[in-house]
């Protein structure tokens, strides 16, 4: 039995294997159909040697590069201000009670601006060049100001939670006892 099955040729591969291994048939273009208006052979993806030669783009000048760097640096400087409405809504919605969620939110609201202020020069280092150095100090000042506004939002939230010592009762430990200047004693008849 084993000898009979070994003498038979293997079965032919499935049709999909043959289709996968053979190259696709070339498509014959029907010359009876005209191209639609506005269609050109070059735009169909079949590029000829003449159409593949596009003019090379000239490199940007230093003035254009400096202008682009200033625009990008202003976008980066105003990014903390764009996050303020979202942070304000999140602070308002988290409530004034002491919960782990509101405490983490307040921590992040203080941490991000403080790290942003301390890393101002590193943030704007990639935008510095000879042409932008004099104009970049205003961008840095705006960035620091926007981070200070975010810190003020954090202070508002901490005050709303009752964690800032802003009332007289918060400082009772350092108050001295009042000494009366006079004493009034009631006498009964």
């Amino acid at each position: 039995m084993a000898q009979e099955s070994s003498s038979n040729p293997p079965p032919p591969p499935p049709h999909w294997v043959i289709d996968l291994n053979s190259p696709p048939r070339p498509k014959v273009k029907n010359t009876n159909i005209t191209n639609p208006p506005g269609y050109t052979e070059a735009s169909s993806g079949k590029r000829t040697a003449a159409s593949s030669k596009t003019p090379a783009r000239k490199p940007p000048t230093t003035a254009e590069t400096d202008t682009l760097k200033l625009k990008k640096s202003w976008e980066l400087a105003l990014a903390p201000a764009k996050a303020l409405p979202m942070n304000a809504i999140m602070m308002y919605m988290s409530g004034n009670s002491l919960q782990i969620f509101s405490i983490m939110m307040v921590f992040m609201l203080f941490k991000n601006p403080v790290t942003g202020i301390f890393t101002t020069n590193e943030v704007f280092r990639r935008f510095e060049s000879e042409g932008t150095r004099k104009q970049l100090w205003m961008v840095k000042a705006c960035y620091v100001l926007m981070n200070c506004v975010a810190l003020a939002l954090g202070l508002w939230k901490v005050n709303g939670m009752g964690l800032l010592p802003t009332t007289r009762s918060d400082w009772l430990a350092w108050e001295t006892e009042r000494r009366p200047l006079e004493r009034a004693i009631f006498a009964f008849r």
Side-chain angles (χ1 to χ4, degrees):
M1 280 269 215
Q3 292 176 352
E4 287 180 25
S5 64
S6 65
S7 64
N8 291 339
H15 186 58
W16 63 270
V17 172
I18 296 171
D19 290 342
L20 187 64
N21 291 332
S22 64
R25 295 183 204 134
K27 294 183 180 179
V28 179
K29 185 175 180 183
N30 192 353
T31 56
N32 298 337
I33 303 173
T34 59
N35 290 334
Y39 177 81
T40 59
E41 260 321 295
S43 67
S44 68
K46 298 176 184 176
R47 298 189 179 257
T48 60
S51 66
S52 66
K53 294 179 183 177
T54 57
R57 192 175 73 140
K58 64 178 184 171
T61 63
T62 56
E64 291 173 341
T65 305
D66 289 345
T67 304
L68 182 63
K69 283 182 180 181
L70 275 176
K71 284 182 182 180
K72 291 295 179 182
S73 64
W74 273 110
E75 287 178 16
L76 188 64
L78 295 175
K82 292 178 182 176
L84 279 177
M86 177 193 62
N87 285 335
I89 289 171
M90 286 173 33
M91 291 297 128
Y92 176 75
M93 291 295 184
S94 66
N96 288 337
S97 61
L98 290 175
Q99 304 169 22
I100 188 70
F101 180 70
S102 58
I103 291 171
M104 285 190 317
M105 299 262 304
V106 169
F107 173 74
M108 291 304 290
L109 195 58
F110 279 111
K111 180 187 151 298
N112 291 339
V114 168
T115 56
I117 290 171
F118 284 129
T119 61
T120 301
N121 287 330
E122 288 86 19
V123 168
F124 290 101
R125 183 165 291 146
R126 61 184 171 166
F127 299 116
E128 277 191 30
S129 65
E130 291 299 322
T132 61
R133 188 158 298 153
K134 292 179 182 176
Q135 298 168 337
L136 211 54
W137 72 270
M138 188 69 172
V139 177
K140 290 179 183 180
C142 179
Y143 180 73
V144 169
L145 179 69
M146 292 302 131
N147 280 313
C148 288
V149 171
L151 279 174
L153 180 66
L155 285 176
W156 167 78
K157 179 63 179 179
V158 170
N159 186 36
M161 292 172 78
L163 297 176
L164 281 183
T166 56
T167 61
R168 186 173 176 187
S169 64
D170 293 326
W171 302 97
L172 283 180
W174 292 275
E175 287 243 355
T176 59
E177 184 181 346
R178 287 188 181 181
R179 304 257 181 224
L181 296 176
E182 295 179 9
R183 290 186 186 251
I185 299 174
F186 296 102
F188 291 108
R189 287 193 180 173

Coordinates of all heavy atoms in Angstrom, one line a residue, residues 6 35 47 67 74 77-78 84 87 111 131 140 160:
S6 N 3.3 6.1 -2.9 CA 4.5 6.9 -3.1 C 4.8 7.0 -4.6 O 5.5 7.9 -5.0 CB 5.7 6.2 -2.4 OG 5.9 4.9 -3.0
N35 N -9.9 59.2 -22.9 CA -9.7 59.6 -21.6 C -10.7 60.7 -21.2 O -11.1 61.5 -22.0 CB -8.2 60.2 -21.5 CG -7.2 59.0 -21.5 OD1 -7.5 57.9 -21.2 ND2 -6.0 59.4 -22.0
R47 N 5.0 57.6 -14.6 CA 5.8 58.8 -14.8 C 6.9 58.4 -15.9 O 7.6 57.4 -15.8 CB 6.5 59.3 -13.5 CG 5.4 59.7 -12.5 CD 6.1 60.3 -11.4 NE 5.1 60.7 -10.4 CZ 4.6 62.0 -10.3 NH1 5.1 62.9 -11.1 NH2 3.7 62.3 -9.4
T67 N 12.2 83.4 11.1 CA 10.8 83.7 11.2 C 10.0 82.5 11.7 O 9.1 82.6 12.5 CB 10.2 84.3 9.9 OG1 11.0 85.4 9.5 CG2 8.8 84.7 10.1
W74 N 6.6 81.0 19.8 CA 5.4 81.7 20.3 C 4.4 80.6 20.6 O 3.6 80.7 21.5 CB 4.9 82.8 19.4 CG 5.6 84.1 19.6 CD1 6.5 84.7 18.8 CD2 5.4 84.9 20.8 NE1 6.8 85.9 19.4 CE2 6.2 86.0 20.6 CE3 4.6 84.8 22.0 CZ2 6.3 87.1 21.6 CZ3 4.7 85.8 22.9 CH2 5.5 86.9 22.7
A77 N 5.3 79.0 23.7 CA 5.2 79.9 24.9 C 3.7 80.1 25.3 O 3.4 80.2 26.5 CB 5.7 81.3 24.5
L78 N 2.8 80.0 24.3 CA 1.4 80.1 24.7 C 0.7 78.8 25.0 O -0.5 78.8 25.3 CB 0.7 80.8 23.5 CG 1.1 82.3 23.2 CD1 0.4 82.8 22.0 CD2 0.8 83.1 24.4
L84 N -5.0 76.2 30.2 CA -5.7 76.8 31.4 C -7.2 76.5 31.4 O -7.7 76.2 32.5 CB -5.4 78.3 31.5 CG -4.0 78.7 32.1 CD1 -3.9 80.2 32.0 CD2 -3.9 78.2 33.5
N87 N -7.7 73.0 32.5 CA -7.3 72.8 33.9 C -8.4 73.4 34.9 O -8.7 72.9 35.9 CB -5.9 73.3 34.2 CG -4.9 72.5 33.7 OD1 -5.1 71.3 33.5 ND2 -3.7 73.0 33.4
K111 N 3.1 71.1 39.9 CA 4.4 70.5 39.4 C 4.7 71.0 38.0 O 5.9 71.4 37.7 CB 4.3 69.0 39.4 CG 5.5 68.3 39.0 CD 5.2 66.8 38.9 CE 6.0 66.1 37.9 NZ 5.9 66.4 36.5
G131 N 20.0 85.2 14.8 CA 18.9 86.2 14.4 C 17.7 86.2 15.4 O 17.0 87.2 15.5
K140 N 10.3 84.1 26.0 CA 10.6 83.4 27.3 C 9.8 84.1 28.4 O 9.3 83.4 29.3 CB 12.0 83.4 27.6 CG 12.9 82.5 26.7 CD 14.3 82.6 27.1 CE 15.2 81.8 26.2 NZ 16.6 81.9 26.5
G160 N -9.6 77.2 47.8 CA -10.9 76.7 47.8 C -11.0 75.4 48.6 O -12.1 75.2 49.2

